[in-house]
Amino acid sequence: MTQEILQKIVAPDELLFRPDHAKMNDQLNRVLMAVGYPRQVSEGFMDRIIRSKSDFDIAMHITPSSIDSMLVSLNRLLKKLNADKYSAEKKGVYTPSIDLLINDTRKILEEIQAGNEKLFKTSFYLNVKAFDKKKLDSATRQAESILNSLMIVPKKPAFRMKEGLQSMMPLAQDKLKQQRTLTTSALSACFPFTSSFLETDKNGVMLATNLSNGIPIIRDVFKLTNPNSLVLGTSGSGKSFCCKLIFLRAFMAGSRIFVVDPQAEYLDLTKELEGEIIEISKESKSIINLFDLMGQNFDDKRLSLLSAYKIMFPKIDNLSLSLLDKATTIAYLNCGIKSKEPETWKNKPPIMKDLLNAVKECEEKEAKVLSAQLEQYVSGSYAFLNKRTNIDFEKNFTCFDIQKMPTAIKPLMSYLVLEYLYSTMQKDRSRKILAVDEAWSLLSHSDSSDYLFKIVKTCRKFNMSLFLITQEVNDVLNNETGKSVLANTSCKYLLKQDASVIDDLSKAMGLTDGERGILLSSKVGEGIMIIDSERFPVKIIASPRETELITTNADELNRRENEGQDRCKKRRSKS
């Protein structure tokens, strides 16, 4: 009774068989069977059928053959072939095809007797589908063309479409019985699903879509050699769209996201996800104190400050830097913080004003020059940095908006935010992504790039993925730290590139001529993805809802804004 009910549920409403096709409900089906195979094949040679993006179903029926019976059959075949060859030679006829068959048969016999091969009776069928006869014929010609290019001879089983459909169904019934005996190695080469892009990780997110076959690439970056990612592309290549989409999906998969945002590009997405926007500007209350220990070792903090001083004063010499280091120690001592007494590290740290006062206490001649330079951080243009740290974030999606920061101070602020986040997140073992947009501003400063490299090397320990985004390819390729970042980044997105950098990029990444061509001619959101040793052409594709959340297209944003204003006006008119 249960079987009868099931049959009624799954049975089609209409099933009509014609000599060269079958109609199932509204869909037409035409089965093709392989009647000829190439003499030699390479591994995965039938993968092209999968990559064709056409609406085909594939069925393979594999039945082990008895070795004893096959040995008898092969020996008989070998005797017959030798007899045919002898007969042809007696007539003076040259027989290269028979020679090949003899050699192949003898080789198979040797491999079977040595235990290196087994034999299998194999059937290969392909079902072409369409909703009208014209499209069915067109799709059939395409399928036949693909099979012919693989040296497979297809044939329509005329007046046997019923058996063809039955052979295509997941019932393990080969009704057509169009079999060919293949060895183990030949059969493994025929297996069509060899593409590594079909691999998915259990906790992975969809990173991109393979441009060749449309198969989604679903990977867990935290399971790679290292979890870091790098996005390289020219302006307008789709970097922001790509990164927002990945962050959105990673967030939905449970990762915490922290973005250092110099251009305020991630604010809308942060709001949509009910995240937290921390604006750091001259007018904002949120700020990071340069001298906050942030839970670090005191000596490590002093080294970090030396890097920060070099960002603040790019042309500083070693004597002045040594003086600042000395003044830093004095400033901390004046606040009761001592290098060798960890219990004092919890005291309130100094601020810019304290460093300025410590410099003034020094007797070196460089002190006056440094005092004048430090004044701008105490009472001058950058006096907003003369405050204690005032930042607190609890949300799982946090955007540090530093757009309104003066351009000259953005590299320093990016460095401070990066240091603060890295130090803070070391206490948290949950999965998290730290994204740095416009990373070139840090890579262009040797000291801040060294700090980036430190994070790249150690973030795995804290279950953190560093995500660097930049359009300045030269800052990555011509910078020692940039090269080290490349070497320690498992996932790389290479979007559209300019011809001026393609040679250097090709050398650094080992790109083929085909990959160079893709990067030079790719459309927005297209490029090459490299994941450890794998690489493939990709396209960044988002669902309509995802696109709505992350789009950066100015026309689309203006349209939404205008629609919102129109709705407001209508509500007002009704009220």
Side-chain angles (χ1 to χ4, degrees):
M1 185 67 180
T2 305
Q3 186 176 358
E4 293 178 0
I5 296 174
L6 181 61
Q7 288 176 344
K8 289 180 181 179
I9 293 174
V10 301
D13 297 329
E14 180 185 14
L15 188 58
L16 182 64
F17 295 102
R18 299 293 186 191
D20 67 342
H21 70 274
K23 183 179 181 183
M24 186 181 297
N25 294 335
D26 296 328
Q27 189 177 65
L28 302 181
N29 298 264
R30 177 175 289 153
V31 176
L32 300 175
M33 57 185 184
V35 296
Y37 293 82
R39 177 172 173 267
Q40 291 184 334
V41 294
S42 58
E43 183 179 343
F45 85 108
M46 291 177 69
D47 188 52
R48 185 180 170 189
I49 299 173
I50 299 296
R51 293 189 284 108
S52 67
K53 301 183 182 179
S54 302
D55 194 7
F56 303 149
D57 287 337
I58 296 174
M60 292 183 71
H61 296 268
I62 303 169
T63 306
S65 296
S66 168
I67 293 179
D68 293 337
S69 61
M70 286 309 302
L71 285 174
V72 172
S73 299
L74 287 171
N75 278 300
R76 287 176 180 171
L77 176 61
L78 190 59
K79 290 178 182 179
K80 180 181 181 303
L81 290 171
N82 283 317
D84 291 343
K85 180 182 178 182
Y86 178 77
S87 176
E89 287 177 346
K90 291 286 285 182
K91 297 176 183 179
V93 178
Y94 182 58
T95 58
S97 59
I98 295 180
D99 290 337
L100 286 174
L101 287 172
I102 290 173
N103 291 333
D104 289 346
T105 304
R106 185 177 290 115
K107 184 177 180 181
I108 291 173
L109 270 170
E110 291 173 355
E111 291 293 328
I112 292 174
Q113 289 172 336
N116 297 328
E117 297 277 14
K118 293 183 179 180
L119 294 176
F120 298 85
K121 291 180 180 179
T122 306
S123 305
F124 181 82
Y125 308 120
L126 188 146
N127 183 30
V128 184
K129 298 178 288 184
F131 286 96
D132 62 62
K133 187 67 163 52
K134 187 176 180 180
K135 290 182 179 179
L136 181 66
D137 291 338
S138 176
T140 301
R141 287 193 295 271
Q142 182 184 5
E144 289 174 335
S145 175
I146 294 172
L147 292 172
N148 286 330
S149 70
L150 299 174
M151 300 299 291
I152 295 176
V153 181
K155 184 179 179 180
K156 303 183 191 75
F159 295 97
R160 299 186 66 196
M161 284 297 156
K162 177 182 178 181
E163 291 84 351
L165 274 183
Q166 289 175 328
S167 300
M168 293 298 305
M169 293 179 181
L171 302 174
Q173 296 179 359
D174 184 4
K175 297 291 185 178
L176 287 175
K177 293 292 182 181
Q178 185 63 46
Q179 296 175 325
R180 170 72 177 266
T181 301
L182 299 177
T183 61
T184 307
S185 56
L187 181 60
S188 64
C190 289
F191 194 69
F193 306 105
T194 60
S195 173
S196 62
F197 313 137
L198 288 169
E199 296 178 3
T200 60
D201 294 336
K202 182 178 179 181
N203 297 317
V205 299
M206 182 175 169
L207 301 177
T209 300
N210 188 288
L211 195 57
S212 299
N213 52 27
I215 296 175
I217 300 168
I218 303 173
R219 301 298 289 271
D220 183 355
V221 296
F222 292 93
K223 297 297 183 183
L224 301 178
T225 306
N226 62 69
N228 305 312
S229 299
L230 175 68
V231 180
L232 293 174
T234 60
S235 178
S237 61
K239 295 191 303 298
S240 295
F241 189 90
C242 168
C243 297
K244 289 179 184 178
L245 184 61
I246 292 170
F247 298 160
L248 171 62
R249 291 171 176 171
F251 174 77
M252 299 301 292
S255 296
R256 299 184 70 190
I257 312 295
F258 302 90
V259 183
V260 182
D261 187 5
Q263 302 297 332
E265 293 188 87
Y266 298 83
L267 303 186
D268 291 340
L269 178 61
T270 307
K271 293 174 184 175
E272 288 285 351
L273 299 178
E274 298 182 354
E276 186 171 359
I277 298 173
I278 298 178
E279 180 184 320
I280 301 180
S281 65
K282 295 174 66 174
E283 293 79 21
S284 69
K285 295 181 180 179
S286 301
I287 201 68
I288 297 175
N289 178 17
L290 179 66
F291 302 95
D292 196 326
L293 288 178
M294 305 176 192
Q296 299 181 72
N297 180 287
F298 182 81
D299 293 330
D300 290 341
K301 179 61 185 179
R302 280 185 59 186
L303 291 173
S304 172
L305 283 170
L306 290 178
S307 298
Y309 293 151
K310 291 179 182 178
I311 300 174
M312 292 166 62
F313 311 114
K315 296 182 180 180
I316 192 169
D317 56 44
N318 290 333
L319 288 175
S320 298
L321 190 63
S322 177
L323 176 58
L324 279 177
D325 186 35
K326 175 183 175 182
T328 300
T329 304
I330 295 172
Y332 276 109
L333 284 173
N334 291 340
C335 293
I337 299 175
K338 300 178 181 179
S339 172
K340 303 301 181 183
E341 299 179 16
E343 64 275 8
T344 65
W345 297 353
K346 296 180 181 180
N347 294 344
K348 284 187 178 181
I351 56 177
M352 283 291 185
K353 182 180 179 181
D354 298 317
L355 177 64
L356 176 60
N357 292 334
V359 169
K360 289 180 177 178
E361 292 179 19
C362 298
E363 298 178 355
E364 289 85 346
K365 61 180 181 180
E366 291 83 8
K368 289 186 178 181
V369 177
L370 281 176
S371 297
Q373 291 176 322
L374 283 169
E375 280 289 352
Q376 63 182 331
Y377 291 95
V378 177
S379 57
S381 304
Y382 308 142
F384 56 88
L385 290 175
N386 187 36
K387 299 177 183 176
R388 301 194 182 280
T389 299
N390 183 26
I391 288 181
D392 185 27
F393 54 88
E394 297 179 353
K395 299 292 181 68
N396 288 332
F397 199 110
T398 306
C399 176
F400 286 81
D401 175 19
I402 60 175
Q403 182 192 28
K404 296 179 182 177
M405 272 284 171
T407 303
I409 208 72
K410 274 187 180 181
L412 174 63
M413 190 47 60
S414 295
Y415 176 81
L416 290 178
V417 171
L418 197 64
E419 183 187 27
Y420 180 80
L421 284 172
Y422 181 60
S423 301
T424 303
M425 288 193 287
Q426 290 182 26
K427 307 168 187 175
D428 179 12
R429 298 290 178 178
S430 63
R431 286 190 169 190
K432 45 202 171 288
I433 295 176
L434 173 54
V436 183
D437 202 354
E438 303 294 343
W440 60 266
S441 63
L442 290 176
L443 288 170
S444 60
H445 291 83
S446 61
D447 295 281
S448 55
S449 63
D450 288 345
Y451 193 76
L452 267 182
F453 179 59
K454 175 185 174 183
I455 299 177
V456 166
K457 292 286 286 183
T458 60
C459 62
R460 169 179 282 281
K461 299 177 182 178
F462 315 110
N463 212 16
M464 184 174 75
S465 167
L466 182 64
F467 209 103
L468 300 178
I469 310 147
T470 182
Q471 67 185 44
E472 298 296 333
V473 177
N474 286 328
D475 283 331
V476 177
L477 302 181
N478 300 329
N479 180 297
E480 288 302 319
T481 302
K483 294 176 182 178
S484 298
V485 168
L486 278 179
N488 289 275
T489 303
S490 285
C491 190
K492 304 175 185 72
Y493 298 80
L494 308 181
L495 303 180
K496 185 175 178 63
Q497 299 294 327
D498 190 82
S500 62
V501 300
I502 193 66
D503 289 337
D504 291 338
L505 187 62
S506 297
K507 185 178 179 181
M509 299 290 189
L511 301 179
T512 64
D513 291 340
E515 291 168 340
R516 282 168 57 100
I518 290 174
L519 295 181
L520 289 173
S521 61
S522 59
K523 299 176 183 178
V524 176
E526 295 180 355
I528 302 291
M529 174 179 276
I530 301 174
I531 300 180
D532 284 333
S533 60
E534 301 175 274
R535 54 178 66 201
F536 22 79
V538 295
K539 183 176 179 63
I540 308 301
I541 298 177
S543 68
R545 177 54 179 156
E546 287 175 327
T547 303
E548 183 182 338
L549 288 173
I550 65 179
T551 185
T552 56
N553 185 281
D555 292 335
E556 177 65 20
L557 294 174
N558 285 334
R559 183 186 65 78
R560 288 187 203 167
E561 187 176 341
N562 292 334
E563 288 178 353
Q565 292 175 352
D566 291 340
R567 285 194 294 268
C568 290
K569 289 179 182 178
K570 288 180 181 178
R571 284 196 294 266
R572 289 172 186 169
S573 61
K574 288 181 181 180
S575 59

